[in-house]
Amino acid sequence: MSPPVPLDGTTLAVGPSNAGKTRLTAQALDRWLDAHGPDGCVVLDFAPAIERDGEILGGPLTQFTTVPDRAYHGVVDAHAPRSEGDTDAEALALAAANTAAAVDRLDAAPVEPRAVFVNDATIALQSDRAPTERLTGYCDRADCSVVNAFESDELGVDNPVSENERQALERLRAWADRVVELP
């Protein structure tokens, strides 16, 4: 189990598939809820679940915790663009659908969050890096933001989805007060 992240400021947890990013975010959410309750708590869950070589990769925060009804829970039924798209154009189209759905969830979120927890942030940023500042700007309104993101070359590097993701990660790293790198 990873050490707990602080429940103030902004934390970005990064790592490859199945490194514990979602579990770490769920643990931070549980600690926030225990200390502060669900009012003003925002959970944005963008993670797809995919099967590769018989192993489930990724998945929602709810595999590790329960999001209370009084918290805002914006869920995207996300695609895994690099796994589902047969061409770069198909992968970008799937990524664009993810971005549009994520922006819709962000637009529907409470205007004044107290805490924001984002699972698989870069799913929302793989087709267009522009929403990165929208997401970080929203997180900056809260006392506590814990964001996790995939960071690895395991799904390829020479495609537009991976390039957009890499550039979004650079922006997220520069924004966060602290970065937790999971092996």
Side-chain angles (χ1 to χ4, degrees), residues 74-155:
V75 177
V76 170
D77 186 16
H79 302 281
R82 290 172 289 217
S83 297
E84 295 176 33
D86 292 327
T87 65
D88 285 349
E90 287 177 11
L92 275 172
L94 293 168
N98 288 343
T99 298
V103 166
D104 286 347
R105 297 321 174 277
L106 187 58
D107 288 347
V111 176
E112 296 183 24
R114 290 179 56 217
V116 179
F117 299 87
V118 184
N119 189 33
D120 211 345
T122 53
I123 280 291
L125 310 172
Q126 291 174 333
S127 72
D128 183 356
R129 296 175 304 275
T132 306
E133 280 71 32
R134 253 176 111 175
L135 178 64
T136 57
Y138 182 77
C139 289
D140 284 340
R141 295 183 210 161
D143 297 329
C144 168
S145 294
V146 179
V147 177
N148 73 54
F150 174 79
E151 185 176 56
S152 173
D153 293 343
E154 69 187 89
L155 299 177

Side-chain angles (χ1 to χ4, degrees), residues 2-19:
S2 300
V5 297
L7 295 179
D8 64 353
T10 56
T11 301
L12 173 65
V14 297
S17 297
N18 286 358

